[in-house]
Amino acid sequence: MRLKLRWLALLNVMTIILLASLWEYGAEAWVSKLLGLSYDSDFETAERLKFIMTSACFALLAMVVPGLLVGGLMRKLLRTEQAATRMAHVDELTGVGNRRAFQVRTEQLDNLDVVYAIMMIDVNDFKIINDLNGHHQGDATLVALASLLMEFTGPQTHVFRIGGDEFALITVTDSTDALMAEAEEIRTRAGKIMTGPASFLSLSIGIARSTDCSTYSIIQAADLAMYQAKGGKGAQLALFTPDMERQFRQKEMFERSVANAVRNNAVVPFLQPILTLSTGKLAGFEILSRWTLPSGEVVAPQVFIPVVQKLGLMDQLTVQLLRAVSVVASEWAGDLTLALNITPEQLIRPSLTDRLYTIIRDAGALRLELEVTENDVMSISEEARQAIERLKERDIRVSLDDFGTGYSNLSVLLGLGISKIKIDRSFISAGMNNREQKKVVETLLALCRELGVEVTAEGIEDIGTLMWLKQQGCNYGQGYLFRKAIPVNEATSLLPSVAFALPVKELPANDHGHAAQAV
């Protein structure tokens, strides 16, 4: 740019000299004659040259101020352009490279055909850091982590922020041991960064080398390793391997199978009876999901339900299960309750609860009870309280599932509007053989009676447990002692008019409950 300006100034001076020369040696005489003015042709040549040089000097002086102004403007534009280029490749918050710079660097290394590695670094529970301590703490955590990572940079190593809480470190190396040692050092040092008054930073790191990737790009491979580390236990550090790629493809196939099963109504409802323990009469059913493959293999709910949630199909499945049950249950007589498990996110989503209300309303005399897991509902307590109030107005009850596995207390639950809990089966099934757990359940039942909270015990498998729960005043129960979960079309045989003949005195512990079946 400066060279262009110099050439422009030189061209301007040469133009002035040329024009002045033309004027002195021809143009002046012609113009004077045209205008009828006198002209002295004997004017000395020295004087003519002096005029030409004077004109050139004045031209140069006339360009000084504009030249300074233009030069200053050009310098400013150049700095602005350089800053814009830098901003386009630098993360504004942390000062490290951004995603665009990351892509440029990987393309450079691919074109150079060198062996390099990518380390994907993800902050664990970043949302919790923001929620508990504010976004300013989240930003401070990212800046601190970026500063730490910058200590590992060099001529062959660069660091980038490629997502909200995700960083990448690219290094030219083929040493697996060096990579793993460096990643472990990053994790260890990051563990000293405070994310709150009493909490510290935790990272998940996935590593991939360009030589280890076949069908996947190195970026995809590093991402896959990072998610493997995030979902694992222990070190939270993973190196991409071809076997990991095979496992991921199997996972992709399973996810597609789950999606197809939901969309094709292959996941069907089963019903497990819930009894009123004081009378032995059927109080309702819990709706459980079952998926049987064409091969006859049964896939456990704890295996496919998390995948349904991940794929965003939970609302669709929930509606399908309740609708399938209500079609049959609409013909039942009596005041039965259908208990349906939902996630806390579903609880606070009116678009779903409105649909569930419409289905149960059209089914007739049935009541709907939504079960939410204890740990999950506590994370959205205020929103949950408002949602529970809205549901109560529609005669839809919300109960707490798996009570005892979390850290909530009854007073907090009552504040949410929950007046029914289900004691986790781990307390019931082992309670008769464990004095501590038995005492916990006994105390909980007594407290619930005082507070007016109804209790359902799940996992009742023997008559001894049943009799003890009855003596303690437990309201409802379910378990293999009464009946396993059955298909919907078989549940009609268990109408409210049919009672379960519960024993009036405790039978031997080795009795497996045949006397408690419906008669």
Side-chain angles (χ1 to χ4, degrees):
M1 181 62 70
R2 292 178 180 177
L3 184 61
K4 290 181 179 179
L5 289 175
R6 291 193 185 102
W7 277 109
L8 184 61
L10 180 61
L11 180 62
N12 190 31
V13 172
M14 295 301 293
T15 302
I16 294 297
I17 293 173
L18 178 62
L19 291 175
S21 299
L22 289 173
W23 174 261
E24 288 294 324
Y25 292 101
E28 183 182 9
W30 181 79
V31 171
S32 296
K33 183 178 180 180
L34 182 65
L35 296 176
L37 301 174
S38 61
Y39 174 70
D40 185 4
S41 59
D42 296 329
F43 199 73
E44 293 182 6
T45 301
E47 293 298 326
R48 295 182 186 278
L49 291 175
K50 188 184 296 183
F51 173 77
I52 293 172
M53 295 306 296
T54 301
S55 299
C57 289
F58 278 124
L60 283 172
L61 291 173
M63 288 190 295
V64 170
V65 173
L68 291 174
L69 292 175
V70 171
L73 179 61
M74 294 303 297
R75 285 192 296 272
K76 185 176 181 181
L77 289 174
L78 185 60
R79 286 195 299 268
T80 302
E81 183 179 347
Q82 291 173 342
T85 303
R86 181 178 179 276
M87 288 289 292
H89 292 82
V90 174
D91 179 63
E92 184 177 358
L93 174 65
T94 62
V96 301
N98 60 13
R99 177 172 283 277
R100 181 180 298 179
F102 172 73
Q103 292 172 339
V104 169
R105 180 58 178 164
T106 54
E107 290 172 2
Q108 289 174 344
L109 293 175
D110 288 336
N111 292 334
L112 292 173
D113 196 26
V114 297
V115 178
Y116 68 99
I118 293 180
M119 193 181 297
M120 288 293 186
I121 303 164
D122 187 78
V123 177
N124 296 328
D125 301 320
F126 185 67
K127 184 178 184 301
I128 295 178
I129 296 173
N130 277 332
D131 291 346
L132 292 182
N133 304 297
H135 288 276
H136 65 282
Q137 179 62 59
D139 289 348
T141 300
L142 295 177
V143 171
L145 176 57
S147 298
L148 169 63
L149 295 177
M150 286 294 291
E151 297 181 23
F152 292 85
T153 60
Q156 300 296 329
T157 304
H158 300 80
V159 63
F160 310 87
R161 182 188 177 202
I162 60 174
D165 62 340
E166 191 173 343
F167 290 80
L169 194 143
I170 300 180
T171 183
V172 178
T173 183
D174 59 355
S175 173
T176 302
D177 292 340
L179 285 168
M180 296 298 286
E182 187 173 84
E184 186 57 44
E185 183 181 355
I186 290 173
R187 284 192 68 255
T188 301
R189 292 179 59 182
K192 299 176 183 178
I193 297 175
M194 296 195 69
T195 59
S199 56
F200 294 87
L201 184 59
S202 171
L203 302 177
S204 293
I205 301 178
I207 303 171
R209 299 186 308 168
S210 55
T211 53
D212 295 332
C213 305
S214 54
T215 57
Y216 277 94
S217 72
I218 185 173
I219 298 175
Q220 290 175 312
D223 261 329
L224 179 59
M226 188 267 289
Y227 284 114
Q228 180 89 353
K230 204 172 186 67
K233 297 179 180 179
Q236 293 180 319
L237 179 64
L239 177 69
F240 178 81
T241 62
D243 186 60
M244 190 182 294
E245 180 177 346
R246 179 184 59 79
Q247 293 175 4
F248 185 70
R249 290 196 174 278
Q250 290 178 341
K251 182 181 177 182
E252 283 184 324
M253 291 178 59
F254 182 68
E255 288 179 355
R256 285 196 295 268
S257 299
V258 171
N260 290 331
V262 173
R263 294 181 180 122
N264 297 325
N265 292 288
V267 180
V268 299
F270 270 50
L271 300 177
Q272 186 172 37
I274 301 173
L275 271 63
T276 303
L277 296 187
S278 60
T279 64
K281 288 193 174 183
L282 189 66
F285 296 94
E286 179 178 6
I287 302 175
L288 304 172
S289 55
R290 294 292 183 267
W291 179 27
T292 304
L293 301 179
S295 63
E297 179 186 356
V298 177
V299 184
Q302 58 266 34
V303 174
F304 69 83
I305 289 296
V307 179
V308 175
Q309 291 177 313
K310 176 186 174 183
L311 297 176
L313 297 172
M314 202 62 203
D315 283 7
Q316 180 178 342
L317 177 60
T318 301
V319 170
Q320 287 175 186
L321 293 175
L322 183 61
R323 183 176 288 130
V325 173
S326 64
V327 169
V328 176
S330 60
E331 302 175 359
W332 295 347
D335 188 16
L336 286 175
T337 296
L338 293 177
L340 179 66
N341 281 278
I342 64 172
T343 67
E345 291 77 18
Q346 289 179 303
L347 175 67
I348 61 177
R349 194 153 56 235
S351 59
L352 172 69
T353 54
D354 288 348
R355 295 172 69 186
L356 299 180
Y357 167 72
T358 301
I359 294 171
I360 205 69
R361 180 197 61 194
D362 296 343
L366 295 172
R367 293 180 179 274
L368 179 62
E369 184 176 290
L370 301 177
E371 296 184 350
V372 185
T373 304
E374 175 189 0
N375 278 339
D376 296 333
V377 76
M378 293 307 298
S379 63
I380 52 165
S381 56
E382 178 55 29
E383 292 175 286
R385 185 191 63 77
Q386 296 175 8
I388 291 169
E389 285 298 322
R390 290 193 297 267
L391 292 169
K392 274 185 177 181
E393 294 172 0
R394 292 181 163 185
D395 200 28
I396 298 177
R397 195 176 192 181
V398 177
S399 65
L400 204 66
D401 196 15
D402 299 335
F403 187 81
T405 59
Y407 302 97
S408 55
N409 57 64
L410 284 176
S411 62
V412 174
L413 300 177
L414 291 175
L416 294 178
I418 293 175
S419 59
K420 186 176 182 181
I421 65 172
K422 178 179 285 187
I423 302 178
D424 186 66
R425 65 174 60 250
S426 61
F427 284 88
I428 302 302
S429 58
M432 295 299 293
N433 301 318
N434 187 306
R435 290 185 59 186
E436 289 77 13
Q437 286 196 4
K438 188 174 181 180
K439 190 65 178 178
V440 169
V441 175
E442 182 179 347
T443 303
L444 177 60
L445 289 170
L447 184 58
C448 286
R449 283 198 307 273
E450 292 295 324
L451 296 174
V453 176
E454 292 187 326
V455 179
T456 299
E458 63 176 348
I460 302 176
E461 299 181 359
D462 61 78
I463 292 180
T465 300
L466 168 64
M467 293 301 301
W468 183 81
L469 288 169
K470 284 185 63 178
Q471 292 169 2
Q472 300 301 319
C474 184
N475 306 95
Y476 305 99
Q478 64 184 98
Y480 288 174
L481 176 63
F482 311 123
R483 190 68 59 94
K484 293 183 179 181
I486 56 177
V488 175
N489 55 9
E490 294 181 19
T492 306
S493 61
L494 304 178
L495 296 176
S497 58
V498 179
F500 285 71
L502 302 182
V504 295
K505 62 181 180 179
E506 186 171 348
L507 297 181
N510 61 354
D511 189 303
H512 294 290
H514 298 294
Q517 298 297 315
V519 294

